[in-house]
């Protein structure tokens, strides 16, 4: 029970609010994405997922978590791993596609990215994959790429991969939500998460001062996981002008790394897949073939 002496209701937001004894689901109102938020799991409707011609079937959207996987797939293809050819299907989370029965069978957590491997190593039944970090490790192990095998280097790549998985929710769900998406600006919440995100940027900056990439001399899945979140922020391409708000140019080593990784052709291609916002020439809603980058971007499709 809330101690109203310690927390006088008139100081709460909205003024007078006192948390009830038992929370109930009502219209929490407002904020971007409020219409898709629910306190329960499971499907809301029957819908099978499409399956294309390649062994790897990706069901995703071009958000930072989705882009981690499309960068990895494009990197694998660029490195000559032909078995990494994939179909990328669009899951429109704003329309609730993540609650379709087929999607929930692949990811019971109803979040993109999710993937099926129809040709797993050693054969047998298809393998379902969810959680972007798990997908990156699975692909790295399947193709023996972008994850060092030497004990110390591998441990370091895993350290930073898991650092990202644990830290980004403070950037997205915390800072991004309260800075850009919440229906009101709450100073306390913005200050709390701005502080944490700046601390995280400083963690990266200090590490990158004497490491070329996150796990050392080699570019790994740790970079692929961190770049779509912290690289975008460093480039002032996240949450409107959040980069300016957080003075991201101060983090010079992150700036250097952000540009090096961002210049990779596979990173540029991966960033286009399942992307539904921004420059139409950089949006490839679905990807089924390498040639789609030349012929099926939104500027070309809309012009047809
Ligand atoms: N930890 C998960 C997070 C995935 C996630 O939060 N996905 C968001 C988009 S970036 C989503 O699908 N949201 C839909 C929803 O919450 O209903 C991962 O890394 O895969």
């Amino acid at each position: 029970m809330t101690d109203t002496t310690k927390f006088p209701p008139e100081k709460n937001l909205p003024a007078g609010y006192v948390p009830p004894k038992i929370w109930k689901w009502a219209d929490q109102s407002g904020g971007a994405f409020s219409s898709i938020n629910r306190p329960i799991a499971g499907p809301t409707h029957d819908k099978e997922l499409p399956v294309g011609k390649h062994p790897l079937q990706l069901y995703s959207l071009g958000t930072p978590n989705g882009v981690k996987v499309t960068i990895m797939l494009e990197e694998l293809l660029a490195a000559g791993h032909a078995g990494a050819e994939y179909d990328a299907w669009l899951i429109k989370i704003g329309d609730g596609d993540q609650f379709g029965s087929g999607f929930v069978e692949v990811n019971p957590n109803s979040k993109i990215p999710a993937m099926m491997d129809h040709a797993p190593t050693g054969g047998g039944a298809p393998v379902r994959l969810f959680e972007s970090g798990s997908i990156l490790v699975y692909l790295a192990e399947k193709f023996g790429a972008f994850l060092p095998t030497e004990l110390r280097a591998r441990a370091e790549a895993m350290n930073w991969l898991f650092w990202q998985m644990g830290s980004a929710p403070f950037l997205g769900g915390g800072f991004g939500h309260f800075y850009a998406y919440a229906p009101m600006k709450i100073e306390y919440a913005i200050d709390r998460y701005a502080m944490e995100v700046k601390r995280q940027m400083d963690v990266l900056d200090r590490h990158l001062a004497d490491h070329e990439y996150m796990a050392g001399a080699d570019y790994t899945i740790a970079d692929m996981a961190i770049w779509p979140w912290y690289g975008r922020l460093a480039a002032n391409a996240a949450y409107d002008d959040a980069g300016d708000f957080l003075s991201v140019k101060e983090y010079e080593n992150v700036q250097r790394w952000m540009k090096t990784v961002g210049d990779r052709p596979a990173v540029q291609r991966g960033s286009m897949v399942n992307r539904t916002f921004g420059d139409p020439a950089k949006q490839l809603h679905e990807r089924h073939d390498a040639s789609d980058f030349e012929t099926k971007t939104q500027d070309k499709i809309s012009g047809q």
Side-chain angles (χ1 to χ4, degrees):
M1 184 80 161
T2 304
D3 176 351
T4 49
T5 334
K6 203 167 160 201
F7 300 102
E10 65 277 12
K11 292 190 81 180
N12 290 348
L13 196 74
Y17 170 72
V18 177
K21 214 167 163 197
I22 295 171
W23 184 85
K24 292 214 169 56
W25 183 20
D27 180 9
Q28 307 296 307
S29 237
F33 312 115
S34 63
S35 63
I36 58 168
N37 295 336
R38 305 181 308 152
I40 48 170
T44 56
H45 58 281
D46 283 332
K47 191 168 180 205
E48 282 190 21
L49 289 175
V51 180
K53 61 183 180 210
H54 299 301
L56 296 172
Q57 298 293 307
L58 178 68
Y59 304 98
S60 194
L61 183 68
T63 68
N65 287 321
V67 161
K68 292 178 201 172
V69 177
T70 46
I71 288 177
M72 174 62 164
L73 290 164
E74 292 299 328
E75 290 284 10
L76 287 167
L77 290 168
H81 297 280
E85 267 298 345
Y86 65 106
D87 290 277
W89 303 95
L90 190 60
I91 298 296
K92 293 185 187 158
I93 60 175
D95 294 351
D97 290 352
Q98 69 277 35
F99 303 117
S101 54
F103 189 89
V104 176
E105 276 169 33
V106 182
N107 184 0
N109 195 38
S110 283
K111 293 191 191 281
I112 65 90
M115 200 172 83
M116 289 298 297
D117 182 0
H118 291 271
T121 308
V127 173
R128 79 170 187 185
L129 294 148
F130 57 91
E131 283 296 321
S132 55
S134 169
I135 299 174
L136 290 178
V137 173
Y138 181 90
L139 290 171
E141 289 181 337
K142 180 178 170 93
F143 294 101
F146 301 113
L147 179 59
T149 47
E150 190 276 321
L151 183 84
R152 283 165 193 80
R154 182 185 168 90
E156 196 59 4
M158 288 295 204
N159 289 341
W160 286 108
L161 174 66
F162 281 80
W163 175 87
Q164 188 284 323
M165 296 301 291
S167 300
F170 291 97
L171 167 52
F175 173 76
H177 180 81
F178 287 108
Y179 184 74
Y181 299 147
M184 66 190 88
K185 303 291 175 213
I186 304 170
E187 184 179 3
Y188 176 82
I190 291 175
D191 282 351
R192 176 181 159 82
Y193 288 111
M195 170 101 72
E196 170 61 7
V197 172
K198 285 200 57 98
R199 192 192 66 77
Q200 294 177 353
M201 288 294 271
D202 197 36
V203 169
L204 292 175
D205 202 56
R206 287 169 190 248
H207 180 71
L208 289 166
D210 46 17
H211 297 87
E212 191 176 356
Y213 294 105
M214 292 310 305
D218 293 332
Y219 169 70
T220 69
I221 52 173
D223 301 286
M224 297 180 209
I226 295 171
W227 187 87
W229 284 97
Y230 296 89
R232 273 188 189 178
L233 181 64
N236 203 11
Y239 310 118
D240 310 325
D241 55 356
D244 289 338
F245 180 68
L246 298 172
S247 309
V248 293
K249 291 220 169 74
E250 283 172 5
Y251 304 106
E252 289 176 10
N253 305 305
V254 178
Q255 291 290 328
R256 186 261 309 152
W257 166 87
M258 173 268 286
K259 291 185 188 115
T260 306
V261 175
D263 281 345
R264 296 178 69 89
V267 170
Q268 291 170 11
R269 278 198 302 279
S271 299
M272 291 167 65
V273 179
N274 295 147
R275 186 181 172 104
T276 55
F277 56 93
D279 180 357
K282 300 266 162 66
Q283 293 183 35
L284 182 59
H285 285 195
E286 287 192 0
R287 185 247 190 243
H288 302 289
D289 192 90
S291 65
D292 292 348
F293 290 102
E294 313 307 324
T295 56
K296 299 221 166 91
T297 48
Q298 278 306 105
D299 56 329
K300 298 197 172 119
I301 284 186
S302 330
Q304 274 171 7

